[in-house]
Amino acid sequence: MTNYQTKQSFRSLAFGGGTPLKAFLTACVVGTILTTINHGDAIIHGDYPHPLKVVLTYTVPFCVTTWGAITGKLQKVIAHVQDFLDSDKILELSFFNFENAITAAYYADENLNLIKVNQNFTKFFPALHNLEQTDFIKVLQELGVPSQQITAFKTQLNQQGKVFIPKIDILINGQKRAFSLLSTKTVNDSFGFLNGVQGQFVDITHR
């Protein structure tokens, strides 16, 4: 974006949509009230305040109103951009290596409801079905993860934002296998749907 385009965008935000008129009317009302409160007694007695003080009294609410209008318009622009973009595609791009992971990887929302798992997840744990929107804690329970390890998972995730459980024994098709579980919270200020938890089971049975 060129410097000219940036200036044009700022002018549009600051002076478009009737913002100057709104700011002017606000300044007239608020400025008059503040002038009356701060200098009313002196004016009545013929002692007029310095013109610069009066100008500033009106200028400040004008600038504050204009700035509020700019930030409000920017928030609307960001919201429209998020609505326009395909959240599913962004998830795929954000977790490009997700499908190619050699581990059983998962992504869940902030409430630990599963949004996406890779193919290895169902290969590692064939007894699990229809995982979308399933509570990840329930998944751990279905896998037979001990309650103390589930409690440790929730506690560490809430307090530290990340979890590492070095060994979890899980019975799969009558065979006991060992996994490590790594999970971390994800944070993205621009796209709320990327705020969640991602993690992976690493098979350490033969290590």
Side-chain angles (χ1 to χ4, degrees):
M1 181 179 290
T2 65
N3 188 45
Y4 172 77
Q5 290 174 316
T6 303
K7 288 181 179 178
Q8 287 295 100
S9 298
F10 179 80
R11 288 182 186 136
S12 172
L13 290 170
F15 303 110
T19 296
L21 178 59
K22 295 175 184 176
F24 174 76
L25 294 175
T26 301
C28 288
V29 174
V30 176
T32 300
I33 293 173
L34 291 177
T35 299
T36 301
I37 292 173
N38 295 327
H39 308 289
D41 293 342
I43 292 174
I44 292 174
H45 292 89
D47 185 12
Y48 296 99
H50 193 283
L52 180 59
K53 291 183 177 180
V54 176
V55 171
L56 289 175
T57 302
Y58 283 88
T59 300
V60 170
F62 181 89
C63 293
V64 171
T65 302
T66 301
W67 179 249
I70 292 172
T71 55
K73 290 174 183 177
L74 286 174
Q75 289 177 348
K76 289 182 179 179
V77 169
I78 293 172
H80 289 156
V81 169
Q82 290 190 20
D83 291 340
F84 175 77
L85 294 172
D86 187 335
S87 60
D88 291 334
K89 292 297 182 183
I90 293 178
L91 280 173
E92 291 178 7
L93 291 173
S94 300
F95 301 96
F96 177 75
N97 293 321
F98 186 85
E99 290 293 346
N100 300 320
I102 60 174
T103 59
Y106 76 91
Y107 178 65
D109 63 19
E110 295 173 293
N111 297 316
L112 285 175
N113 294 313
L114 287 175
I115 295 175
K116 189 176 179 65
V117 297
N118 67 350
Q119 293 182 353
N120 276 343
F121 203 97
T122 53
K123 287 181 180 179
F124 280 25
F125 312 118
L128 299 176
H129 302 287
N130 301 321
L131 291 173
E132 186 174 343
Q133 292 302 314
T134 301
D135 185 345
F136 185 67
I137 299 301
K138 290 183 178 179
V139 170
L140 295 178
Q141 293 171 342
E142 288 184 24
L143 291 174
V145 177
S147 58
Q148 64 268 25
Q149 289 186 315
I150 294 177
T151 300
F153 172 87
K154 293 188 291 186
T155 301
Q156 290 182 36
L157 190 63
N158 289 332
Q159 294 180 354
Q160 303 173 22
K162 57 185 177 180
V163 180
F164 173 59
I165 300 178
K167 184 180 180 183
I168 299 175
D169 292 322
I170 299 176
L171 194 64
I172 301 175
N173 295 329
Q175 180 182 6
K176 187 169 75 172
R177 303 189 67 84
F179 297 88
S180 289
L181 175 59
L182 303 88
S183 299
T184 185
K185 288 186 176 181
T186 60
V187 179
N188 190 290
D189 294 332
S190 299
F191 301 102
F193 50 80
L194 293 181
N195 294 332
V197 179
Q198 63 171 312
Q200 54 187 324
F201 285 92
V202 181
D203 191 339
I204 60 171
T205 303
H206 300 297
R207 293 184 183 181

